[in-house]
Amino acid sequence: MQTMLALLQEQLKVENEAIQKLGGLAQVLKEQSNGAGVREATAAIEPLLHQLTALSDRQTAYLAGAGAATAQAWLQAQPASPERALAGRLMAALAVMQGRLQQALSGTQQLLDRSKAFIDFQINVMNQAQASDTYAPPGAATVENRRGHRMFDANV
């Protein structure tokens, strides 16, 4: 019982820290268009994600040794005690925290996608990539500064 409680508490602590670090990454992505600080913010998150994976593996091994398929099944198999009540509260808190972590990951992914699109746009502007001939001046036979190819399927 104590092993599972320790695993749940550590998982809750690491997930909370990961959410905070993802919030920091999101803030950097919102404030810095030049990418400054992104490397440091992602480097701070990576070890936490590895810790979460290791904790999940340890929990799976513990549950297999206890003869339970899931943590919920393990909890229901435990006799009524204060430790069981604590484990139930920890599991409920973890469910909430995992929802928050999923939202933070989703939001950060969207910010990263938008940052990539912004970088692609800037590269296309620097290379004077043309999206199509519809942007030629009226009556012009050819487009000025016509490149032979588009850099990233230019959407300028």
Side-chain angles (χ1 to χ4, degrees), residues 23-46:
L25 175 59
Q27 196 65 31
V28 167
L29 289 170
K30 290 176 189 175
E31 293 176 354
Q32 301 293 330
S33 62
N34 63 358
V38 173
R39 182 182 310 218
E40 294 81 8
T42 54
I45 294 169
E46 284 182 31

Side-chain angles (χ1 to χ4, degrees), residues 4 24-26 29 47 66 69 98 105 111 120 135:
M4 187 64 166
L25 175 59
L29 289 170
Q98 287 170 349
L105 284 169
L111 288 170
D120 289 347
Y135 296 106

Side-chain angles (χ1 to χ4, degrees), residues 52-145:
L52 284 174
T53 302
L55 282 170
S56 177
D57 292 343
R58 287 175 41 203
Q59 184 178 7
T60 301
Y62 176 80
L63 291 173
T70 64
Q72 193 65 34
W74 171 85
L75 183 64
Q76 291 179 354
Q78 300 303 309
S81 67
E83 289 86 11
R84 180 183 178 197
L86 176 61
R89 288 192 303 273
L90 285 172
M91 289 173 63
L94 272 171
V96 171
M97 192 67 67
Q98 287 170 349
R100 290 180 183 165
L101 183 61
Q102 184 62 37
Q103 287 176 338
L105 284 169
S106 176
T108 305
Q109 181 64 45
Q110 288 178 352
L111 288 170
L112 285 168
D113 290 342
R114 289 180 183 164
S115 292
K116 181 191 174 304
F118 179 72
I119 291 168
D120 289 347
F121 173 79
Q122 292 297 333
I123 289 172
N124 286 331
V125 169
M126 287 187 299
N127 286 310
Q128 299 175 354
Q130 299 295 321
S132 70
D133 291 341
T134 59
Y135 296 106
T142 60
V143 178
E144 297 175 17
N145 296 328

